[in-house]
Amino acid sequence: SESAALDQQLRVLFSVSTTDLYAVCSLAAQVVGHVSVANPLVTLDEVYRECMHQTQDCKVAMLLDLSALELCLIIAMDNLRYRLILTYNFETVYNTYKQFAIGIGQKTSSIAKKSVVLKAFENLCDLELVALQSTRNRSFQQTPINLLVDQDQITHAVSASRNISISVKNWHNKKF
């Protein structure tokens, strides 16, 4: 149901900042500020919209501060998501990045080494733009991943970024 989908999205958003009580209070104040005689109840949809409004600008700013390699990894994950590949891990993302780099004519020797890409990926996890689903009984590289930024945030960051080439921007835009 629609309510269950919104509930799940809110759980993901709040799991990112469980220690940031100020953000939760700010969100609550904004939502309650819309209560009126004509609209006496707060709906889950209103909470979700306000939450997206508050987090979107922050995440886009974070995306704009990423290195070109980190943004390429975000675009690779977004491409996987666009192709409806629901479960993917670091290995899948790395292979997608490698295919793109080879496709634009980069020499194999100029493609970032796997250890460098892994470090960039770990930074994305530290920034909470990407989350590991579970590390039980799996190596870090085989653990399923959740991308914690949405399509609009990525598109905005790609179009505004000065760190990436036209070919990377086209890679992101070619799916539309």
Side-chain angles (χ1 to χ4, degrees):
S1 81
E2 186 176 320
S3 179
L6 284 173
D7 184 54
Q8 179 61 30
Q9 289 173 334
L10 285 171
R11 287 181 192 279
V12 169
L13 287 170
F14 283 113
S15 71
V16 172
S17 63
T18 54
T19 59
D20 188 4
L21 193 55
Y22 177 79
V24 174
C25 290
S26 175
L27 173 69
Q30 289 296 320
V31 172
V32 171
H34 296 292
V35 171
S36 65
V37 174
N39 184 20
L41 300 175
V42 174
T43 65
L44 195 55
D45 188 47
E46 290 170 325
V47 174
Y48 177 72
R49 274 185 292 169
E50 186 60 38
C51 191
M52 290 306 295
H53 176 71
Q54 286 187 5
T55 59
Q56 187 168 13
D57 294 340
C58 176
K59 286 187 178 180
V60 169
M62 289 174 68
L63 288 170
L64 288 170
D65 285 339
L66 296 178
S67 70
L69 175 59
E70 291 165 336
L71 199 50
C72 280
L73 293 176
I74 293 285
I75 293 169
M77 288 180 262
D78 190 44
N79 277 317
L80 290 168
R81 185 168 58 186
Y82 178 77
R83 291 185 283 163
L84 300 177
I85 299 173
L86 302 176
T87 304
Y88 51 90
N89 55 32
F90 171 77
E91 291 293 327
T92 311
V93 173
Y94 179 71
N95 289 335
T96 303
Y97 158 74
K98 233 169 68 170
Q99 288 172 356
F100 161 71
I102 291 169
I104 64 167
Q106 281 190 358
K107 296 178 183 172
T108 307
S109 61
S110 68
I111 297 172
K113 293 183 180 180
K114 194 172 197 175
S115 60
V116 173
V117 176
L118 183 59
K119 190 65 180 168
F121 178 77
E122 289 172 348
N123 189 47
L124 294 174
C125 290
D126 291 343
L127 291 171
E128 296 182 345
L129 297 172
V130 174
L132 302 175
Q133 289 181 9
S134 169
T135 56
R136 290 185 306 222
N137 302 326
R138 297 182 188 184
S139 71
F140 177 77
Q141 296 176 359
Q142 298 298 323
T143 304
I145 304 167
N146 284 331
L147 182 58
L148 301 177
V149 290
D150 65 34
Q151 178 63 50
D152 292 337
Q153 292 167 324
I154 296 168
T155 300
H156 182 73
V158 166
S159 64
S161 179
R162 296 181 182 172
N163 292 340
I164 58 175
S165 67
I166 296 296
S167 58
V168 174
K169 289 182 181 190
N170 289 340
W171 176 38
H172 172 69
N173 295 331
K174 76 177 181 182
K175 63 181 180 256
F176 299 111

